[in-house]
Each structure stands twice: as structure tokens, then as C-alpha cells.
Amino acid sequence: DGTAGAEDPNGLDMAELVRLVKSDLPLVEFDQSKLSSEGVIHDVSTLAGLRARNTMHNRVVADAFVPAGGRPGTVNQDNWESFLLPDGTPSSPLVVEGANLFITHEARQKLFEEAGVEIVKDSSANKCGVICSSYEIMSSMLLSDDEFLPGHG
């Protein structure tokens, strides 16, 4: 979310994540006692935390990477090599772009040609996001505030 990034090579505690969601709390409120000794919460109110959160996709090794948010052009022709580990392999061999324009065309091509990264482009992967957004907009137009956001009025 906009307050923090969280990473733990042993996995994040699901019960703690559910607690945050049910309590409508931001990620920065994650109980750090629920992390392994290698886990960390990156508080974006600090410059170091902001940098760590914004480059997490370059560090965290995963079978598949699904950016579901972020800024357009986060991975671009000037920084695509940062997605590669020191040995030249990608931090993830598969990217499914759930976020619009997360990777630029030039970076997408370089990652595929030079590192073998398979990428499902945003225009194919994010159709459901567009459909859901359309339903949200229609709902907000048809329902009262109390109907659309019960308990938040």
C-alpha cells in the first residue's frame, strides 16, 4: 500500500495480513514480531524505506512477479538491468503486468531478448481490472454513499 512495503523470504504471516485488512489498517501497522529474522517492513515515511519499497521488484526472487500497482514506466530502458540478479538471471522469469504500463515497451523487449523474461503485457493481463473499475464507477453512480460504502459514511 502507500505506507510501506513488506518482505520476508519465509513468507508474510497471513493472519496478520488478514487482521490489517479487517481492521482497515495500512501495511505500516504490520506487527513486526510476526516477521522472521530476515523479514522487514519498509516504512515509506523514511527515504530509505521509500527506496527499498520502490525497488523491491528488483530484489525479491519469485517464480512469478505480478505488479498490481505502481507508477507507469517503473521498469524502463534506463533501469531494466536492475531487474537482473548479480549472476544475470532475472529476479523473476515471469511477469504478469496487473498494473498499467509498469514496464515500458523498450524494457519489455530488453528483458525478453537479453534475460528470457516471459511477460504477459498489461493490455492482456489487466482486462479484469478494467472491468472491475467500470463496475465500481457504475456502482458509485447508481448507489448512495451509504449503500456504496456501508459503515464509512
Side-chain angles (χ1 to χ4, degrees):
D1 71 15
T3 66
E7 58 185 286
D8 192 330
N10 297 307
L12 294 171
D13 185 276
M14 187 59 71
E16 178 61 5
L17 291 172
V18 169
R19 180 188 74 82
L20 294 176
V21 169
K22 286 185 175 182
S23 301
D24 199 23
L25 293 171
L27 189 57
V28 74
E29 297 293 328
F30 191 97
D31 179 354
Q32 294 193 29
S33 72
K34 307 281 185 182
L35 295 169
S36 74
S37 60
E38 299 172 76
V40 63
I41 301 295
H42 302 289
D43 183 341
V44 301
S45 68
T46 70
L47 187 55
L50 182 64
R51 284 184 180 145
R53 194 251 346 239
N54 290 350
T55 59
M56 190 180 299
H57 59 279
N58 296 329
R59 279 191 317 284
V60 176
V61 177
D63 295 330
F65 172 52
V66 184
R71 305 288 304 162
T74 296
V75 178
N76 57 60
Q77 68 265 14
D78 297 326
N79 68 8
W80 68 271
E81 290 177 297
S82 296
F83 195 72
L84 305 180
L85 301 173
D87 67 0
T89 61
S91 59
S92 176
L94 171 65
V95 177
V96 180
E97 284 187 287
N100 291 331
L101 308 170
F102 190 81
I103 303 173
T104 65
H105 173 74
E106 297 84 5
R108 211 178 277 121
Q109 194 151 3
K110 288 285 193 182
L111 286 167
F112 177 73
E113 291 173 357
E114 301 198 24
V117 178
E118 299 285 340
I119 299 174
V120 179
K121 196 170 177 287
D122 58 350
S123 59
S124 296
N126 195 16
K127 291 193 184 328
C128 289
V130 172
I131 292 168
C132 289
S133 292
S134 297
Y135 280 120
E136 288 174 350
I137 291 167
M138 289 188 311
S139 295
S140 72
M141 292 168 57
L142 295 171
L143 303 172
S144 70
D145 287 349
D146 289 337
E147 291 171 318
F148 186 66
L149 297 169
H152 288 86

